[in-house]
Amino acid sequence: MTAICILSITILAVAVSAGSPCCGKKCRYAGSFSTHQVHNPALPSTRSIFPAFGDPKYFSNKVVPSNKASVELKCPNFDVLFDEICKVSPLAKQALYENKPDGIKSIKKGDDFYSWKVTDDNPNRLISNIAKIDNFQKNGVPIVRLRSSLHGPAKKRGECFAQLITTEKLRQKWDATNDIVDEIYSGDLNEVKKLQADKYGEPTMFGIGYVKTKQSVVSPREQLTLCGLQNFDSGASIIWGVELEENQNHLFPEGKRMSRSTSHLFSTTIIPTGENEFDVEYVLQLDIGGFPGWLTGPIVIETVKKMFGFADGYFKSGLNGGELAAKLAAITEDDTVKTDGDKNDSFDKNDSSVLNEKQTLLMPP
């Protein structure tokens, strides 16, 4: 336990992107745009500095314009990406293919495509089920899956959950490892919509995020991830992310490169189960650069547990007049939400981003 506690402070917050969950507005771009990060095609190759593990199978050759005129963002192959997400996440499959998904209680053993090792299963606990697959797809590290049932308001639930892992002040309440959380590029949502099938829901964010961890007992780590948020008519949401391929390294911000961690595959699926109740299934395969695979699983699980512990109280505060309730009371369904990082800690009805600070949709660990 001591070793896990020491090592857990090195975990990399995975940059998932799309910056900010967009509200219901038909805004052209998701998220607010960072001005201090610049695209620099002249940066030298980083092949010898750190490896990139983005799997080419998840990417297409199609691109969409970004919020910066000189930069286009590579799009995923939505069919391949969501096929794999559905194979590792029964709740994601519910979100995509069921008009009225029923959440964790309706999952059957035969629903799993792969063979998972269940390490904890107790429906009376906040985290009711933890499972893993070692050396998933021969990447040398496990893929882990955690399930939880939470209480909180339905209003902008997907966006509010994303804030827990995307905004600096909220994230730092449960994760002390983050140094930089920054959305570098946001994609044109109208163009993204044209490239995906309707069954994948409404894309409310799409883009590239950069994250760096603090110096601790090990050197900092960094990531560059393509991510998004899909919302569905049923009230379900899927947050997804994959590491960028090596040929996208020129999108890194300027500065000295460091060891890279890799999110091979990430998804968080939210399924409404009642007026103020919802289930969450969190799936992540993370390679922490330079760490042995057998240590990675316990570190990721312990960190995600902290996230759920904070989420439990945060969402309940939306029902009892607390922090989340105050924020939600200030907006209408078509308005957007500001976060703790904003000057007035309030909502800006004229802002097209849900997160109005350094941001990106991140996957913890």
Side-chain angles (χ1 to χ4, degrees), residues 54-60 75-78 80-82 84-85 136-137 226 242 264-265:
D55 193 330
K57 75 176 183 180
Y58 292 129
F59 291 90
S60 70
C75 278
N77 182 322
F78 285 97
V80 173
L81 175 62
F82 280 97
E84 192 62 58
I85 287 175
F136 182 63
Q137 295 185 339
L226 175 68
V242 288
H264 292 290
L265 184 66

Side-chain angles (χ1 to χ4, degrees), residues 3 92 99 136 157 220 243 306 325 347 349:
N99 293 326
F136 182 63
R157 185 176 283 156
E243 196 76 15
K306 292 178 181 178
F347 292 84
K349 297 183 179 182

Side-chain angles (χ1 to χ4, degrees), residues 275-290:
E275 182 180 0
N276 294 316
E277 299 175 342
F278 60 102
D279 289 344
V280 182
E281 187 170 53
Y282 183 102
V283 179
L284 175 66
Q285 185 180 29
L286 180 72
D287 189 326
I288 306 171

Side-chain angles (χ1 to χ4, degrees), residues 296-307:
T296 301
I299 293 172
V300 172
I301 288 171
E302 289 302 310
T303 309
V304 178
K305 282 181 178 181
K306 292 178 181 178
M307 185 271 292

Side-chain angles (χ1 to χ4, degrees), residues 10 40 52 58 73-74 114 127-128 132 156 165 188-189 199 215 241 264 271 286 289 311 317 327 333 347 349 362 365:
T10 68
N40 188 351
Y58 292 129
L73 305 184
K74 210 171 182 183
Y114 297 110
I127 299 175
S128 57
K132 67 173 183 173
K156 297 194 180 298
I165 49 179
D188 185 327
L189 294 177
K199 68 180 179 180
Q215 174 72 43
H264 292 290
I271 300 290
L286 180 72
S317 79
K327 290 182 178 181
E333 202 57 37
F347 292 84
K349 297 183 179 182
L362 299 182

Side-chain angles (χ1 to χ4, degrees), residues 37-80:
Q37 303 285 17
V38 297
H39 170 55
N40 188 351
L43 285 175
S45 170
T46 52
R47 178 181 296 272
S48 62
I49 300 176
F50 61 87
F53 301 103
D55 193 330
K57 75 176 183 180
Y58 292 129
F59 291 90
S60 70
N61 291 322
K62 298 176 181 178
V63 297
V64 297
S66 77
N67 57 304
K68 296 183 180 179
S70 63
V71 180
E72 292 181 320
L73 305 184
K74 210 171 182 183
C75 278
N77 182 322
F78 285 97
D79 291 335
V80 173

Side-chain angles (χ1 to χ4, degrees), residues 73-122:
L73 305 184
K74 210 171 182 183
C75 278
N77 182 322
F78 285 97
D79 291 335
V80 173
L81 175 62
F82 280 97
D83 177 68
E84 192 62 58
I85 287 175
C86 286
K87 286 178 179 178
V88 298
S89 172
L91 287 196
K93 190 174 182 179
Q94 288 185 24
L96 259 67
Y97 297 106
E98 297 182 16
N99 293 326
K100 294 183 179 180
D102 207 21
I104 292 173
K105 65 182 180 182
S106 65
I107 296 176
K108 302 177 179 61
K109 289 185 178 180
D111 290 346
D112 272 326
F113 182 85
Y114 297 110
S115 179
W116 292 78
K117 179 181 180 181
V118 176
T119 61
D120 198 356
D121 186 29
N122 188 333

